Each structure stands twice: as structure tokens, then as C-alpha cells.
Amino acid sequence: GAGVSQSPRYKVAKRGQDVALRCDPISGHVSLFWYQQALGQGPEFLTYFQNEAQLDKSGLPSDRFFAERPEGSVSTLKIQRTQQEDSAVYLCASSLPQGMNTEAFFGQGTRLTVV
Amino acid sequence: SQQGEEDPQALSIQEGENATMNCSYKTSINNLQWYRQNSGRGLVHLILIRSNEREKHSGRLRVTLDTSKKSSSLLITASRAADTASYFCATFTGNQFYFGTGTSLTVIP
């Protein structure tokens, strides 16, 4: 597709439920990032993939968060046993390798509300 | 935690006026990027300035970079109501983009 696509756009989960958020990056983009954005705040880094390798997961807030990109394209962010504090917008971005001084393209995000 | 800070946090101007927002960051960088985010939407890339550049223009946007002060500014000239959005600066270090807290710009028609 022309841009980064995320689905679903909105997700309401009951506390304790597992959720899976999908990101389709721009074709050919090696780098893929997940960010979490709380209301009124800037995006906070969660994890980074280069192709299928998860090179950095230092931003994942707990072991309930898990991300994968098994074939180096589509990525899924999974949150197990959701808590209210997980409510946020989850943004996915893709780019060419950053050594090329290139921009990151963001998807529209998935707004997760845990009730 | 976020690396950058935008200043001011909120800015309200009349249509046609210029808007200036500033960004400070903490570590050495290869480049600095500015993004816009409309309410409830994703981030849209506006402009990238490399560490060896001091000023860059794109349409009504003018970005400056002072690496000695670790700061950047974004100027939007002849603002329009459609410029109403949040603006973020971002630096890339290690494996991640670091974003500031953003400037919320309101342009009053």
C-alpha cells in the first residue's frame, strides 16, 4: 500500500483481555517501530525491528507486551491481560535503514481503551 | 522517558500570523525531524534537517538547528486554520526516535 496501515483503528478491551494490534509497513521498509502515546504526551518508544529481528525492546513496559515480525514485513503487538494503564494510542512506523538519514512514516495508530 | 522538549507547550495565533516553536534535545544527533499530528491521527513528517545543516526551508516551513545549543526551531509563516495541530521534534539515537512533548498550535480563522 501507499502508507503504513494499522488495524484496528479502535479497540475496546475489558481488563484482563488479550489484544493484538497489527501493523502493515510500507513495502521494502527494513525498519519498523512501535510507539505508545498517552493523551497529551509525545510518543514513547516500545520496540524496534530491523527486518524480522527485534533489535531493541527496551521500551516495552512489562512482560505482558510482546511484539513480533516473523517474515520481516507485517508486525503484531500483543498485550496480554490488559490493564487500564495500557489505554493509549499505539503507533507503528516504518523507514529505510536510519543510517540513510531518512524519515519515518507513521500509521494512523490504534486507540486502545481498557475498561 | 522523552529526550526532547518543545516550547511553548501551547500556542494560539490569528490566521496569517507566523508561528514559532522551539525544541531542545539532550544527546548528539545525526539529524532532527519535525512532525505534525492532527487530533486523533498519526504523525506526518514535515522536514528533516541534518546535523551539518543550520537552516532548511520547505514551503511555508523554516527550520533552524543549533547543535552547539542542542536546539531547533520551526517557523510556520502565514499560518492557516488547517495548520492547527500538535507539532513534535524527533531525534534518532541508537535504535529509536525520541520525541518531545509537543507544541499544540491553534490557528484562529
Side-chain angles (χ1 to χ4, degrees):
Chain A
V4 178
S5 178
Q6 291 187 247
S7 60
R9 283 292 317 275
Y10 304 93
K11 175 69 179 178
V12 178
K14 291 184 178 179
R15 191 170 53 183
Q17 185 180 352
D18 297 350
V19 298
L21 313 180
R22 178 186 168 106
C23 173
D24 282 84
I26 293 173
S27 177
H29 276 191
V30 167
S31 299
L32 186 144
F33 306 84
W34 283 99
Y35 280 80
Q36 180 190 59
Q37 187 176 23
L39 189 64
Q41 299 294 313
E44 293 270 4
F45 173 79
L46 293 176
T47 188
Y48 163 66
F49 289 86
Q50 185 168 312
N51 296 306
E52 69 279 2
Q54 188 175 21
L55 298 186
D56 190 338
K57 54 182 181 179
S58 62
L60 296 177
S62 77
D63 58 8
R64 296 186 296 104
F65 286 71
F66 172 75
E68 59 183 7
R69 193 186 186 198
E71 296 177 359
S73 55
V74 171
S75 177
T76 304
L77 176 67
K78 297 179 179 178
I79 308 173
Q80 297 176 324
R81 304 181 304 281
T82 51
Q83 304 293 316
Q84 283 191 316
E85 62 262 28
D86 300 335
S87 295
V89 175
Y90 290 86
L91 295 166
C92 175
S94 71
S95 75
L96 295 169
Q98 278 305 304
M100 297 172 64
N101 261 326
T102 184
E103 66 191 83
F105 293 84
F106 281 80
Q108 295 293 305
T110 294
R111 182 178 297 276
L112 173 65
T113 303
V114 182
V115 297
Chain B
S1 62
Q2 290 169 314
Q3 144 133 280
E5 265 189 36
E6 280 91 347
D7 165 52
Q9 287 192 328
L11 180 61
S12 184
I13 60 174
Q14 295 289 330
E15 199 167 32
E17 293 180 338
N18 296 342
T20 300
M21 51 205 90
N22 304 295
C23 162
S24 60
Y25 58 91
K26 296 177 182 175
T27 65
S28 61
I29 60 171
N30 291 324
N31 64 67
L32 184 142
Q33 306 185 35
W34 284 90
Y35 287 82
R36 183 186 74 219
Q37 185 176 39
N38 290 81
S39 180
R41 312 281 289 188
L43 290 100
V44 175
H45 185 265
L46 294 176
I47 194 165
L48 180 154
I49 186 166
R50 293 181 171 77
S51 58
N52 61 353
E53 298 176 312
R54 291 296 166 259
E55 188 171 312
K56 199 163 182 179
H57 297 253
S58 177
R60 294 184 295 113
L61 305 180
R62 173 178 165 251
V63 169
T64 63
L65 179 63
D66 187 336
T67 53
S68 66
K69 295 181 179 178
K70 290 188 167 59
S71 68
S72 174
S73 68
L74 171 67
L75 168 68
I76 304 174
T77 61
S79 64
R80 304 167 181 169
D83 295 330
T84 294
S86 292
Y87 291 81
F88 296 90
C89 67
T91 58
F92 189 83
T93 304
N95 290 320
Q96 58 179 284
F97 288 93
Y98 288 88
F99 288 86
T101 51
T103 291
S104 176
L105 173 65
T106 301
V107 181
I108 303 166

